[in-house]
């Protein structure tokens, strides 16, 4: 199994739920944001993570880059378990694991010029020579389609698309191996989305970077990903190669997602939307995560959680029906 | 700004010009800042220059001239010892500004260090904030009087006492805004980029608290001037013959029914000085936020 760039095994993250008295008493329950995720990412591969908001996909990404601490499981990267590293031990790995945020404009220091922001990152990672830093920054800006002009701008002087390019530049500048993209295009216009996605594709092929692409937009995920994991309520419900997933979705949640996605070429009177809301997953949660909303729920689904197993080569799903 | 090399191109020149223009517009959009700044600078200049423009000794008594109303010779009149009120007012401004300025600077330095570390490290937060709570619980002027009673009266002791009184409130302001900045995505992003704790604290969080800090500093400057005047008025401040606004007010309380200018002039000086400092602080806050647009207030 050593050939994977990053391997996540049974990752867990829970948040305490306190009673009326707040933190005065021990938490009465725990909310499982991530409840046992396992997947891997190979070198140069794009892994798409889809799911509705609140299913834990962003939390997973944040744990990988070390912004949140996991409560269980492991993340193997380069022979080290990221969950067990201290802040200090993690720091050298920052160079290799980067993140692009959804709301990039607020992920940039509003008081610094863009050139200074990017150069600071290089300073931290040991580029001592100022002229060299500047050269590298200008090269990276050019690579993401910005120019020298933007070097002297403040972040709030840029447009939404330019800001997102800049966010990618910020991640690229130290030549990482894996970039976690947390909804990088969902705040953008469709036409700008396309530009950014094309750029990401090019960069990925050129530099052989792996991406963990987190999004709720299955169209975007289909375009960019090599493999896709569908996430629901803290767990993966289906995972396979992109085209196989779209041709042959097995899990009822995946099918429901596809049915609900808008398609500009089909005029519909009504969307086949899922009814109800995502339940809260607590410690006591039993059965299949999707059982409360699944049209095919049986007694067994409510009692027993289906195993996430391989049904064909490279196609895993967690459902009793298949 | 180290990244601006000498060989900046024409492009960057144009951008700097545009950004300077925007700054100018923002500056003109806040008249309070200009009025406060001008008022403060006039007081400052008068206070600094008074020993050079006038040979009159502020403490020399001329008993024949006592309690003269304002006229051509003494533009603000004289006090009960015949000393020129205007000259004494200017020497009083030296004391007030020196004390106020030192208190503002020292309490900001201590407050920033305490506040920033408290906002970032949980354990330190509990310890430091409980100490601050304790200090805030004691009324400021009483604490200052107690400290001066222990230390003795001199202008340095007034500064030390008032710094101790005002540091907790600066620390609280800094901590509150530092906690907001700490949760900003750009601080998280910086962590992902590999910033160390010290770099996050001083390069990202500190600039974020500078604007509330300047506002707070200008208010503390103003409050320290009032406190210094109060302490002097109560006899716990600057020792007697030296001119200070508080001393002058105290001296006037015996004669103000006969010579009201002895009370009005130092009182007005305190009010004007505090008012211009407050206007300055408010204006600075608007000006320093890079996202405020010029003319947005209209």
């Amino acid at each position: 199994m050593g050939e994977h760039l990053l391997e996540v095994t049974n990752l867990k993250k829970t948040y305490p739920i306190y009673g009326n008295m707040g933190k005065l008493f021990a938490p009465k329950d725990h909310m499982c944001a991530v409840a046992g995720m396992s997947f891997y990412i190979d070198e140069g591969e794009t892994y798409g993570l889809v799911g509705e908001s609140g299913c834990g996909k962003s939390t997973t990404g944040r744990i990988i880059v070390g912004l949140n601490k996991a409560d269980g499981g492991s993340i193997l990267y380069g022979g080290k378990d990221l969950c067990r590293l201290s802040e200090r031990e993690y720091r050298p790995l920052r160079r290799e694991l980067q993140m692009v945020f959804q709301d990039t404009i607020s992920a940039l220091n509003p008081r610094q010029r863009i050139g200074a922001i990017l150069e600071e990152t290089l300073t931290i990672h040991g580029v001592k020579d100022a002229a060299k830093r500047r050269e590298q920054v200008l090269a990276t800006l050019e690579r993401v389609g910005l120019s020298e002009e933007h070097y002297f701008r403040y972040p709030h002087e840029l447009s939404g698309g330019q800001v997102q390019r800049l966010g990618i530049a910020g991640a690229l500048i130290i030549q990482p191996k894996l970039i976690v993209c947390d909804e990088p295009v969902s705040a953008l216009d469709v036409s700008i989305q396309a530009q950014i996605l094309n750029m990401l594709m090019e960069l990925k092929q050129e530099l052989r970077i792996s991406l963990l692409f987190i999004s709720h937009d299955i169209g975007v995920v289909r375009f960019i990903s090599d493999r896709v994991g569908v996430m629901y309520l803290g767990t993966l419900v289906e995972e396979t190669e992109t085209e196989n997933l779209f041709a042959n979705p097995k899990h009822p949640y995946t099918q429901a997602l596809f049915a609900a996605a808008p398609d500009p070429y089909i005029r519909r009177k009504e969307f086949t939307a899922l009814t109800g809301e995502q339940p809260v997953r607590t410690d006591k949660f039993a059965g299949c995560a999707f059982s409360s909303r699944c049209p095919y729920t049986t007694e067994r689904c409510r009692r027993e959680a289906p195993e996430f197993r391989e049904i064909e080569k490279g196609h895993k799903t967690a459902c009793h029906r298949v | 700004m180290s990244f601006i090399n000498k060989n900046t191109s024409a492009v960057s020149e144009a951008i700097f010009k545009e950004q300077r223009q925007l700054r100018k517009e923002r500056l003109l959009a806040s008249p309070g800042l200009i009025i406060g700044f001008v008022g403060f600078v006039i007081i400052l200049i008068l206070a600094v220059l008074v020993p050079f423009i006038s040979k009159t000794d502020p403490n020399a008594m001329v008993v024949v001239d006592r309690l003269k109303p304002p006229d051509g010779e003494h533009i603000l009149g004289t006090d009960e010892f015949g000393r020129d009120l205007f000259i004494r007012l200017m020497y009083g401004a030296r004391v007030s500004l020196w004390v106020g300025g030192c208190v503002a600077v020292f309490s900001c330095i201590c407050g920033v260090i305490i506040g920033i570390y408290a906002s970032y490290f949980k354990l330190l937060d509990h310890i430091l904030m409980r100490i601050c709570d304790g200090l805030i619980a004691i009324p400021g002027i009483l604490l200052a009087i107690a400290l001066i009673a222990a230390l003795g009266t001199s202008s340095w002791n007034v500064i030390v006492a008032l710094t101790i009184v005002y540091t907790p409130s600066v620390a609280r302001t800094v901590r509150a805004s530092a906690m907001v900045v700490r949760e900003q995505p750009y601080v998280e992003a910086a962590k992902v980029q590999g910033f160390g704790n010290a770099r996050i604290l001083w390069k990202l969080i500190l600039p974020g608290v500078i604007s509330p800090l300047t506002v707070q500093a200008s208010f503390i400057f103003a409050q320290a001037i009032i406190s210094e005047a109060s302490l002097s008025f109560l006899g716990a401040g600057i020792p007697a013959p030296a001119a200070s606004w508080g001393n002058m007010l105290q001296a006037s309380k015996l004669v103000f029914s006969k010579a009201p200018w002895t009370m009005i002039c130092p009182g007005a000086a305190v009010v004007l000085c505090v008012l211009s400092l407050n206007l300055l602080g408010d204006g600075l806050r608007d000006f320093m936020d890079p996202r405020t647009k010029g003319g947005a207030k209209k």
Side-chain angles (χ1 to χ4, degrees):
Chain A
M1 300 283 272
E3 74 267 33
H4 302 314
L5 179 73
L6 181 100
E7 189 170 358
V8 176
T9 317
N10 201 20
L11 190 71
K12 283 193 175 115
K13 173 79 191 169
T14 59
Y15 292 101
I17 305 173
Y18 290 98
N20 295 334
M21 298 292 282
K23 292 183 181 174
L24 217 54
F25 295 111
K28 59 175 188 180
D29 220 332
H30 290 273
M31 200 271 277
C32 307
V34 181
M37 287 274 288
S38 302
F39 63 96
Y40 64 89
I41 301 173
D42 279 331
E43 210 179 311
E45 184 187 44
T46 302
Y47 187 88
L49 204 53
V50 266
E52 60 196 276
S53 34
C55 71
K57 50 192 196 306
S58 291
T59 311
T60 308
R62 290 169 59 90
I63 292 172
I64 291 172
V65 293
L67 281 175
N68 289 14
K69 276 254 167 266
D71 294 313
S74 66
I75 303 170
L76 278 179
Y77 174 85
K80 287 181 198 142
D81 182 359
L82 300 185
C83 295
R84 273 170 197 76
L85 294 182
S86 70
E87 192 96 343
R88 190 174 295 270
E89 291 166 322
Y90 201 108
R91 206 160 290 152
L93 292 175
R94 298 278 188 207
R95 196 185 173 128
E96 295 169 19
L97 301 167
Q98 282 293 309
M99 182 153 180
V100 176
F101 291 83
Q102 173 176 16
D103 185 13
T104 316
I105 185 75
S106 51
L108 293 163
N109 187 352
R111 286 176 179 78
Q112 272 186 312
R113 283 171 215 270
I114 284 154
I117 296 174
L118 295 177
E119 284 190 10
E120 179 117 42
T121 315
L122 287 176
T123 316
I124 294 165
H125 291 284
V127 186
K128 295 272 186 299
D129 180 22
K132 206 168 164 190
R133 281 206 298 268
R134 189 181 164 131
E135 192 183 300
Q136 255 180 318
V137 168
L138 289 175
T140 312
L141 283 177
E142 205 164 309
R143 173 152 252 163
V144 298
L146 297 171
S147 65
E148 195 197 342
E149 193 206 317
H150 302 104
Y151 184 93
F152 297 101
R153 290 280 181 198
Y154 287 100
H156 63 269
E157 295 177 321
L158 301 189
S159 71
Q162 286 172 334
V163 164
Q164 206 54 45
R165 285 168 188 274
L166 182 60
I168 294 166
L172 275 182
I173 192 152
I174 41 182
Q175 292 145 13
K177 295 231 173 80
L178 172 74
I179 304 182
V180 175
C181 301
D182 186 3
E183 307 256 13
V185 295
S186 42
L188 301 174
D189 278 353
V190 184
S191 56
I192 298 164
Q193 268 190 15
Q195 288 174 17
I196 300 285
L197 290 172
N198 281 334
M199 191 185 84
L200 271 177
M201 286 289 260
E202 274 167 37
L203 289 171
K204 179 189 111 182
Q205 263 143 31
E206 217 173 299
L207 308 169
R208 288 211 36 91
I209 303 172
S210 305
L211 299 178
L212 173 60
F213 195 92
I214 297 166
S215 180
H216 61 261
D217 186 334
I218 44 177
V220 168
V221 167
R222 181 179 192 173
F223 174 75
I224 200 150
S225 311
D226 300 318
R227 281 187 310 126
V228 179
V230 181
M231 208 177 162
Y232 184 79
L233 211 63
T235 46
L236 282 176
V237 293
E238 187 160 6
E239 180 199 273
T240 181
E241 265 138 38
T242 310
E243 282 323 306
N244 188 24
L245 181 78
F246 283 83
N248 192 13
K250 289 285 187 219
H251 196 279
Y253 179 64
T254 317
Q255 291 163 0
L257 261 190
F258 292 167
D263 182 335
Y265 295 105
I266 303 171
R267 184 173 176 171
R268 298 193 229 199
K269 291 216 174 60
E270 199 183 355
F271 281 113
T272 39
L274 277 170
T275 50
E277 297 237 347
Q278 229 179 156
V280 175
R281 185 176 194 134
T282 61
D283 280 342
K284 296 172 198 97
F285 194 88
C288 171
F290 194 50
S291 60
S292 62
R293 295 167 81 185
C294 180
Y296 313 107
T297 307
T298 62
E299 199 42 50
R300 189 180 170 209
C301 301
R302 292 210 182 81
R303 216 176 44 239
E304 182 190 333
E307 190 196 344
F308 188 57
R309 64 188 194 286
E310 200 150 25
I311 50 165
E312 294 160 27
K313 193 174 158 28
H315 193 159
K316 288 182 182 174
T317 187
C319 185
H320 290 310
R321 289 177 72 241
V322 287
Chain B
M1 293 192 181
S2 57
F3 61 90
I4 301 173
N5 295 353
K6 282 193 190 74
N7 55 358
T8 43
S9 59
V11 190
S12 60
E13 272 309 312
I15 294 167
F16 290 150
K17 205 173 155 194
E18 188 189 317
Q19 285 167 348
R20 269 200 300 274
Q21 180 65 30
L22 279 173
R23 263 203 293 275
K24 215 163 94 190
E25 277 170 26
R26 272 217 310 271
L27 187 65
L28 294 176
S30 56
L33 176 65
I34 299 167
I35 295 169
F37 182 72
V38 168
F40 179 68
V41 165
I42 289 174
I43 296 171
L44 190 69
I45 289 174
L46 285 173
V48 170
L49 291 185
V50 68
F52 305 107
I53 50 178
S54 164
K55 292 279 170 286
T56 321
D57 180 356
N59 297 331
M61 298 182 220
V62 189
V63 187
V64 281
D65 283 345
R66 68 194 297 260
L67 299 178
K68 281 237 175 105
D71 59 20
E73 200 189 337
H74 305 286
I75 46 172
L76 293 177
T78 60
D79 66 3
E80 79 277 23
F81 294 118
R83 298 175 291 199
D84 185 286
L85 218 52
F86 182 70
I87 300 293
R88 277 183 72 75
L89 218 51
M90 291 305 109
Y91 277 93
R94 287 169 78 88
V95 173
S96 291
L97 293 179
W98 170 247
V99 171
C102 285
V103 170
V105 169
F106 294 147
S107 56
C108 279
I109 293 172
C110 302
V112 161
I113 295 172
I114 295 173
I116 277 198
Y117 278 96
S119 75
Y120 207 71
F121 301 104
K122 252 233 155 96
L123 181 67
L124 264 180
D125 186 29
H126 285 299
I127 300 169
L128 292 172
M129 282 304 117
R130 290 305 80 74
I131 296 173
C132 288
D133 284 345
L135 283 173
I136 287 175
I138 307 168
I141 201 85
L142 282 185
L143 182 57
I145 290 172
L147 285 165
I148 285 164
L151 298 167
T153 55
S154 81
S155 68
W156 272 109
N157 288 347
V158 172
I159 290 170
V160 170
L162 291 179
T163 301
I164 293 173
V165 169
Y166 290 121
T167 296
S169 65
V170 183
R172 290 212 147 248
T173 315
V174 169
R175 172 178 167 270
S177 32
M179 285 175 98
V180 174
V181 180
R182 193 191 62 181
E183 298 300 322
Q184 292 292 312
Y186 67 83
V187 175
E188 282 192 337
K191 270 188 214 158
V192 175
Q193 305 266 287
F195 282 49
N197 282 339
R199 202 181 275 267
I200 288 179
L201 283 178
W202 299 110
K203 287 208 100 166
L204 293 174
I205 296 185
L206 181 64
V209 302
I210 284 290
S211 60
L213 183 68
T214 32
V215 180
Q216 186 75 4
S218 70
F219 291 150
I220 282 182
F221 200 143
Q223 272 180 30
I225 287 172
I226 296 178
S227 297
E228 182 275 323
S230 319
L231 286 174
S232 300
F233 185 80
L234 295 169
I238 313 300
S244 106
W245 292 342
N247 286 347
M248 292 163 76
L249 279 170
Q250 193 209 14
S252 80
K253 79 175 191 273
L254 297 171
V255 294
F256 80 87
S257 57
K258 237 198 299 182
W261 54 89
T262 56
M263 182 192 66
I264 292 169
C265 294
V270 173
V271 170
L272 282 178
C273 191
V274 169
L275 182 68
S276 36
L277 277 167
N278 284 356
L279 282 174
L280 181 66
D282 269 346
L284 270 180
R285 175 178 48 197
D286 292 345
F287 178 67
M288 285 177 78
D289 189 342
R291 283 155 298 188
T292 351
K293 296 276 185 316
K297 273 183 166 177
K298 280 167 210 159

